[in-house]
Amino acid sequence: MSAILDLPWIPSPRMTEALPVATPALQDPVTSLLEREAEPLRRVIGRYVRHEHAVDEIFQEVSLKVLRRIDTVRDPLAVRGWLFQLARNAALDWLRSQDRRPASPSETLDTHRAAGDLGRNPVEHLMTTERVEAIRRALDDLPASQREVIRLRIDEGLDHEAIALRLGISRQAVEVRLCRGRAALKDRLDAILSGDL
Amino acid sequence: MTPAAAPLTCAEAEPLLPLVADGALSPADDPALFDHLATCPGCQESLAHHDLISLALAQPRPAAPQPRVIRHRWWLALPVAAAAGLVLNLLLAPSGTAPSQPPMAAISPPAPAQADPIIIERDVAAVPGGMPGKRLILVRRGDQVVLVDPAAPVDSPRQDATPASLRY
């Protein structure tokens, strides 16, 4: 069926709706898909999350979503990209939840030291406060037109259409400014991470 | 089955990554791009950096340090200032005379000043229990502090002043 994934069979939406999810015969293709894609998905998650236990936790979450939503994928050739996006979104959701999560009383500094960190949240592990501040300065240094679009998107959560309306420009112009601004910010981050800054 | 789209190259995928990070492109919008992302470590890393930028910029900025406001409780210093003013006045006054006051007349007897507390009002000290309506002034004479009556006539015969004890 799929030369790319070498999937033996992916259940059609009609079939998964008709049969209970817990039926072993229907879980097998999905389970085998997960087994086959486990390592690539864990590598994707590992780009965002360092600790092995967190990778396990997120992978479990991804597996559950795969079981529940596999029948929403119409094109078998899109399965691998869909799995990638599922893993990426789950990792980002986990990072955001960790960022908002208040430190529990049991999480003493000793606990974090034993785990090999200093108690900072995962984003701070990947990007120190200094690096985050450098990114913010890079945003401040962008041309006003690019900076404004990025701020409206991130700070106010406006989608591209709403930004276009707000600024009185086309959606395409919004996306051009957004892409240029983000590319400049990524160049700065790459320079920071490679030690140039 | 949908015919397989031509696989994307990294050069083709890279300009689209900001839109993926921004949530403007999904696997349904561009299956070929996400299929490339699923298998290309370089583009995955690049997208992860875009995502980190989004996360970093979404974090609340640390509050700028507020300028330190020093609230002077000036009223707390009033008693000290009053006492200092009195002492300074005493120290600077010419020995034996009170400023802008007639020549002093010695008080006799000064004993009640030693027994009763002295209420200090700027440079004027009133002695409780003394003569009603009488205002006396503390002046320093040499090493001693004496009470003088500014209302006493200038040419009144001078008497030896007896030192008064100050109790604050």
Side-chain angles (χ1 to χ4, degrees):
Chain A
M1 183 173 180
S2 166
I4 299 172
L5 287 176
D6 194 23
L7 291 174
W9 178 65
I10 292 180
S12 71
R14 181 180 296 177
M15 293 187 74
T16 52
E17 283 167 11
L19 293 170
V21 174
T23 305
L26 274 182
Q27 278 191 351
D28 279 343
V30 181
T31 303
S32 61
L33 167 68
L34 283 171
E35 285 175 358
R36 196 166 43 253
E37 294 295 317
E39 276 316 303
L41 290 176
R42 292 174 69 88
R43 276 199 296 274
V44 170
I45 297 167
R47 296 191 184 281
Y48 298 87
V49 178
R50 281 186 174 181
H51 296 300
E52 197 63 25
H53 71 272
V55 174
D56 289 341
E57 183 183 330
I58 296 167
F59 180 71
Q60 289 299 317
E61 183 72 22
V62 171
S63 301
L64 284 173
K65 287 181 178 171
V66 170
L67 286 168
R68 289 173 188 153
R69 300 185 193 168
I70 186 70
D71 55 359
T72 64
V73 184
R74 307 288 176 182
D75 182 1
L77 295 176
V79 169
R80 200 160 48 190
W82 178 74
L83 288 174
F84 165 81
Q85 180 73 336
L86 217 56
R88 170 178 168 258
N89 284 342
L92 288 172
D93 286 345
W94 189 88
L95 282 176
R96 292 188 191 103
S97 71
Q98 294 296 300
D99 214 22
R100 288 189 296 266
R101 182 178 62 97
S104 70
S106 62
E107 284 181 328
T108 63
L109 191 58
D110 286 343
T111 309
H112 286 289
R113 280 180 182 143
D117 64 69
L118 294 176
R120 295 178 299 187
N121 71 39
V123 178
E124 286 171 333
H125 276 305
L126 294 165
M127 297 182 69
T128 63
T129 306
E130 292 78 12
R131 287 172 176 170
V132 170
E133 197 49 46
I135 294 298
R136 287 187 175 131
R137 283 199 301 274
L139 176 64
D140 293 339
D141 291 342
L142 286 180
S145 59
Q146 297 173 13
R147 186 174 63 239
E148 188 176 30
V149 168
I150 292 175
R151 284 202 168 133
L152 287 172
R153 178 74 184 120
I154 291 179
D155 293 346
E156 299 191 26
L158 300 181
D159 62 20
H160 296 181
E161 202 66 51
I163 296 171
L165 279 173
R166 172 81 70 90
L167 300 180
I169 58 178
S170 68
R171 176 179 175 149
Q172 189 181 17
V174 169
E175 292 179 347
V176 167
R177 292 181 187 184
L178 196 77
C179 285
R180 286 180 180 165
R182 277 187 171 274
L185 293 179
K186 182 181 165 295
D187 287 346
R188 180 70 68 92
L189 176 64
D190 289 345
I192 291 169
L193 295 178
S194 65
D196 291 348
L197 292 177
Chain B
M1 182 178 290
T2 310
L8 254 65
T9 64
C10 293
E12 291 168 326
E14 181 75 28
L16 300 173
L17 298 185
L19 292 176
V20 176
D22 204 58
L25 280 179
S26 70
D29 299 321
D30 196 337
L33 171 62
F34 279 83
D35 191 62
H36 175 81
L37 278 170
T39 54
C40 176
C43 287
Q44 286 180 6
E45 187 74 15
S46 196
L47 180 59
H49 286 185
H50 279 294
D51 288 334
L52 285 180
I53 289 168
S54 298
L55 289 171
L57 292 178
Q59 286 190 337
R61 279 181 183 258
Q66 296 293 320
R68 189 180 172 191
V69 177
I70 300 174
R71 298 178 185 277
H72 291 288
R73 298 179 180 177
W74 55 271
W75 61 89
L76 293 179
L78 282 180
V80 177
L86 174 63
V87 171
L88 198 63
N89 201 5
L90 293 174
L91 292 174
L92 296 178
S95 179
T97 58
S100 68
Q101 295 295 332
M104 68 176 179
I107 300 170
S108 179
Q114 293 185 355
D116 297 323
I118 296 173
I119 299 171
I120 300 170
E121 187 181 350
R122 296 193 178 181
D123 59 345
V124 176
V127 183
M131 289 176 286
K134 195 88 171 178
R135 304 293 287 181
L136 303 174
I137 296 175
L138 278 168
V139 295
R140 184 181 184 87
R141 178 186 293 168
D143 295 331
Q144 295 178 335
V145 177
V146 298
L147 289 165
V148 297
D149 180 6
V154 177
D155 54 351
S156 64
R158 181 171 178 170
Q159 300 177 20
D160 288 334
T162 304
S165 67
L166 285 173
R167 289 186 293 172
Y168 292 94

